[in-house]
Amino acid sequence: MSHHGKEELKAPRKLKPAELQGKHRDPGDAAKQEAKHREAEIRNSLLAQVLDQSAWAWTSDLVLVKPEKTKAVEDYLVQIAQCGQLSGKASGQGFIEILENVSQKTENNC
């Protein structure tokens, strides 16, 4: 019985270093999360400049079905927004055309 008692005493000591390591990683993780959050805000801001309400609706629907396709389309939209290549906001129909254009490009690259 005393043998089990010693093991029980050792177990908490083994957990403490792991807990400390976890605490040391948190600031880095928090900084990464904050950077991702800022990047997402900038991205959404750019998308808001180039998409009208119906196009936003298409984006919301597409992300549920094909999240990887949504990212490719959003990347393309952010790129053209940054370059000023889009005059005005894309409508739902414009979004569909962009989606088809991006789909053709990604299919041809495979």
Side-chain angles (χ1 to χ4, degrees):
M1 289 220 162
S2 63
H3 183 69
H4 287 292
K6 288 181 183 178
E7 284 181 23
E8 288 174 1
L9 290 176
K10 289 180 184 179
R13 284 188 220 133
K14 289 180 182 177
L15 293 176
K16 286 182 182 178
E19 290 171 353
L20 291 174
Q21 287 174 356
K23 288 179 185 175
H24 289 302
R25 280 183 267 170
D26 286 348
D29 289 345
K32 287 178 187 175
Q33 290 294 340
E34 188 177 326
K36 282 183 182 180
H37 182 69
R38 258 185 307 206
E39 184 180 315
E41 283 181 352
I42 292 167
R43 184 180 181 92
N44 286 336
S45 174
L46 284 169
L47 290 171
Q49 291 174 22
V50 297
L51 297 175
D52 71 6
Q53 205 166 11
S54 63
W56 268 114
W58 273 100
T59 307
S60 301
D61 291 343
L62 184 63
V63 76
L64 296 173
V65 181
K66 296 193 175 194
E68 69 287 344
K69 184 78 70 180
T70 305
K71 179 163 178 11
V73 171
E74 287 180 351
D75 288 345
Y76 175 76
L77 288 166
V78 167
Q79 181 182 353
I80 62 174
Q82 289 173 331
C83 297
Q85 295 176 350
L86 190 66
S87 57
K89 291 189 174 189
S91 63
Q93 184 59 40
F95 181 80
I96 293 169
E97 290 171 11
I98 291 168
L99 174 61
E100 290 171 353
N101 187 16
V102 171
S103 293
Q104 289 173 356
K105 285 181 181 178
T106 55
E107 288 170 9
N108 291 339
N109 289 339
C110 292

